[in-house]
Amino acid sequence: MTNEAIDGPHEDNWRQVCENLRSEIGEAAYQSWIKPMTIRSIADGAARISVPTRFMRDWVIAHYVDRLGALWNAIDQSIDGVDISIQPERSLKASGEEASASIPAAAAAATTAAIDMAQGDTRRASDIGKVGISGPLDTRYTFDNFVVGKPNEFAYAAARRVAEASSVPFNPLFLYGGVGLGKTHLMHAIAQHICQQDPKRTVIYLSAEKFMYRFIRALKEQNTVDFKDMFRNVDVLMIDDVQFIGGKGATQEEFFHTFNALVDQGRQIVISSDKSPSDLEGMEERLQSRLNCGLVADIHATTYELRLGILESKADQLKVDVPRKMMEFLAHKITANVRELEGALNRVVAHAQLVGREITLETAQEVLHDLLRANDRRVTIEEIQKQVASHFNIRGSDMHSARRARSVARPRQVAMYLAKQLTSRSLPEIGRKFGGRDHTTVMHAVKKVEELRECDSSFAEDVELLRRMLEG
Ligand code: ADP
Ligand code: MG
């Protein structure tokens, strides 16, 4: 990352922002879109970032700019936003980012147009605007665009209930689930639904980071009274990612009071978090128990069916034809969360359009090979043990037991071998997961399975089949 006009702390913060985003969006998207960025300057509370091409600029603006701003703001509250511009010609050549720089202008323009078209003007943030402090809402995040499946049906139903009720069905509604599983989507959907149904109701939607930032600013400017009034006069208060105020004493205190005041007045509160109320770290007990009082709805990890449904819906929204085979492949492979899944689809579509190629399974495998590799490693040893045990018809507990009969010892060795092949765990780690066995036992198992594969073709097939099932 080069820089000209930037001093140390800003540069460090920028690096931190990039790192944080990297962990959210995954390595592949990071390499494609974030890494080529260069920080230029900081002025008037905005960070100026440049990217090598127009295409990248549009893409980053459409997908990452809000998040960059929010992450930066969480580190340095004097930064309120991020401006993305195209890198000047001179540094472009010097930076050697030939891949994106050499995209023919016509192709780049065509892709930008395609993306603009696909996204229509739905990117436009709707402003609920009743109260000046509410965060912008993404108009794509509606109930209609939310694909419902087993893992999220309860959270979805609860969210709809809150959005449609004119009174307060439960308080608070506490939505929790892992990163990228649709919490923010549901929050925005609730806010937008309420505002459309009854424009007279005031809704404030804020990330917990923003809540904290506003509060601290009010403290500095000594107008906490206004701050309090602002929150205490809303009909619906929505705080996203509440885990961020864990350990932040004064903000928590203020939040707690606001919370109580609103609940006492029969106003609706909706909270999201990546943990359940009881698991929130650095959170005061009385606040935790208050959060637990209403309805706690968790969003579970996605299933294959849900992932496939989501891909179909996203492809529809992008108005592109995506072969079913490719969607099945992605739904099998990219299991971490919906954001990553969506990112993968977007990347393949953008790439295919950019180089004027058809969207096929092969394009996807090629464009996403780094991401796919990273996902391959996510098979857990527990999954391997379960799958292998059921394949050989032995009990799962035999993976850990001391029994040495060949009928259980062989499958156990196969599982160890696959654990070595498919995960990044070390031999001692693998040994521990198999009833605390020594790493030399694992080493022996790996060698044994390799030998057997050489001389016993039906055994080799068994192992291969298991490997494919686990990878698939
Ligand atoms: P979280 O807030 O839980 O980290 P988001 O709500 O930001 O996750 O979701 C990440 C992305 O995945 C968003 O673009 C969102 O629209 C999409 N998404 C998540 N779940 C679903 C779903 N069930 N249907 C459609 N899109 C979804
Ligand atoms: Mg979120």
Side-chain angles (χ1 to χ4, degrees):
M1 237 169 283
T2 54
N3 86 70
E4 287 147 6
I6 283 299
D7 60 0
H10 285 312
E11 171 88 27
D12 289 347
N13 287 346
W14 168 234
R15 248 186 227 129
Q16 190 56 49
V17 168
C18 292
E19 273 314 302
N20 293 349
L21 190 59
R22 182 191 211 146
S23 61
E24 285 181 11
I25 65 178
E27 186 60 24
Y30 169 82
Q31 292 289 340
S32 307
W33 308 110
I34 309 303
K35 184 143 175 274
M37 298 194 201
T38 306
I39 176 168
R40 291 284 158 205
S41 61
I42 303 277
D44 303 328
R48 286 195 48 224
I49 304 293
S50 68
V51 295
T53 63
R54 175 183 303 276
F55 172 67
M56 284 192 70
R57 184 197 63 184
D58 294 343
W59 189 264
V60 167
I61 288 176
H63 292 91
Y64 302 118
V65 78
D66 294 344
R67 197 60 200 139
L68 280 172
L71 287 170
W72 209 325
N73 184 263
I75 295 173
D76 175 357
Q77 286 156 3
S78 70
I79 303 294
D80 243 350
V82 174
D83 290 336
I84 311 284
S85 57
I86 305 170
Q87 214 155 289
E89 195 63 23
R90 180 177 52 83
S91 41
L92 207 172
K93 286 201 184 100
S95 76
E97 299 278 10
E98 68 308 308
S100 23
S102 65
I103 293 163
T111 316
T112 311
I115 287 165
D116 285 348
M117 187 195 70
Q119 296 183 331
D121 53 3
T122 52
R123 263 306 308 184
R124 199 191 30 193
S126 82
D127 186 8
I128 41 184
K130 296 281 187 33
V131 183
I133 59 168
S134 197
L137 297 174
D138 191 320
T139 52
R140 293 173 309 168
Y141 292 173
T142 60
F143 284 122
D144 283 347
N145 284 344
F146 192 81
V147 181
V148 185
K150 267 257 161 323
N152 60 25
E153 64 187 6
F154 182 58
Y156 172 81
R160 270 220 98 110
R161 185 74 218 291
V162 163
E164 283 162 5
S166 47
S167 58
V168 174
F170 21 74
N171 222 358
L173 168 59
F174 190 100
L175 296 169
Y176 82 92
V179 173
L181 294 181
K183 300 181 295 293
T184 297
H185 189 134
L186 282 178
M187 298 277 275
H188 285 210
I190 295 173
Q192 299 186 93
H193 190 94
I194 292 176
C195 293
Q196 276 158 14
Q197 289 298 103
D198 184 357
K200 286 197 290 300
R201 287 178 91 189
T202 33
V203 178
I204 291 186
Y205 164 85
L206 272 182
S207 66
E209 291 162 337
K210 266 261 152 32
F211 179 87
M212 211 164 76
Y213 167 59
R214 299 281 174 186
F215 174 61
I216 290 166
R217 202 167 70 181
L219 279 181
K220 269 196 210 140
E221 293 167 2
Q222 299 184 330
N223 58 3
T224 48
V225 175
D226 289 353
F227 175 84
K228 289 179 184 176
D229 283 349
M230 205 143 60
F231 284 104
R232 291 181 191 179
N233 290 321
V234 300
D235 294 308
V236 184
L237 174 64
M238 311 183 76
I239 304 284
D240 205 352
D241 286 323
V242 82
Q243 73 273 6
F244 278 116
I245 60 171
K248 314 279 189 327
T251 315
Q252 237 182 77
E253 184 76 10
E254 182 51 36
F255 178 64
F256 184 69
H257 291 310
T258 307
F259 187 102
N260 284 337
L262 290 175
V263 170
D264 290 346
Q265 292 169 40
R267 312 291 170 80
Q268 178 73 55
I269 297 182
V270 185
I271 307 272
S272 90
S273 163
D274 66 354
K275 296 200 179 62
S276 75
S278 329
D279 289 337
L280 279 171
E281 282 154 24
M283 206 61 93
E284 276 183 52
E285 227 168 89
R286 54 186 187 147
L287 183 52
Q288 272 182 350
S289 75
R290 264 261 138 143
L291 293 173
N292 248 323
C293 276
L295 183 75
V296 178
D298 58 341
I299 307 185
H300 299 272
T302 57
T303 55
Y304 170 74
E305 288 71 30
L306 179 61
R307 291 193 294 276
L308 193 60
I310 289 172
L311 283 172
E312 281 167 355
S313 147
K314 303 280 170 187
D316 235 35
Q317 284 169 41
L318 284 170
K319 299 194 174 66
V320 290
D321 259 339
V322 179
R324 171 105 191 152
K325 261 207 155 48
M326 178 189 134
M327 292 200 271
E328 286 171 356
F329 174 77
L330 291 185
H332 268 306
K333 286 287 192 179
I334 301 180
T335 54
N337 65 51
V338 182
R339 187 174 298 134
E340 201 163 280
L341 188 67
E342 197 180 354
L345 178 69
N346 285 340
R347 237 177 103 196
V348 178
V349 170
H351 179 89
Q353 291 176 339
L354 191 60
V355 299
R357 264 171 64 182
E358 233 180 292
I359 301 170
T360 61
L361 177 57
E362 289 69 35
T363 331
Q365 283 169 323
E366 210 180 295
V367 176
L368 301 173
H369 76 277
D370 44 355
L371 180 68
L372 293 171
R373 264 214 333 261
N375 270 278
D376 278 349
R377 284 197 294 273
R378 290 210 183 107
V379 182
T380 64
I381 294 183
E382 287 74 16
E383 279 159 12
I384 295 173
Q385 291 173 329
K386 221 167 107 195
Q387 186 82 257
V388 174
S390 92
H391 182 82
F392 289 105
N393 226 348
I394 62 169
R395 286 192 308 254
S397 59
D398 278 331
M399 289 290 163
H400 316 273
S401 76
R403 288 182 60 201
R404 286 158 171 251
R406 174 168 299 177
S407 59
V408 298
R410 191 71 84 221
R412 201 187 290 133
Q413 288 177 325
V414 170
M416 288 183 198
Y417 167 83
L418 288 168
K420 183 77 197 100
Q421 298 283 313
L422 302 178
T423 74
S424 50
R425 297 311 182 95
S426 66
L427 294 175
E429 278 175 308
I430 295 173
R432 272 199 292 281
K433 297 259 184 181
F434 284 83
R437 288 180 156 77
D438 194 69
H439 77 276
T440 52
T441 309
V442 183
M443 214 149 71
H444 174 72
V446 172
K447 237 173 87 202
K448 185 79 204 165
V449 171
E450 273 164 2
E451 278 167 23
L452 283 171
R453 283 184 58 185
E454 290 295 313
C455 60
D456 180 344
S457 65
S458 89
F459 178 81
E461 263 172 42
D462 261 1
V463 174
E464 194 46 38
L465 180 72
L466 275 164
R467 194 169 69 84
R468 256 186 281 136
M469 280 197 310
L470 284 161
E471 278 185 340

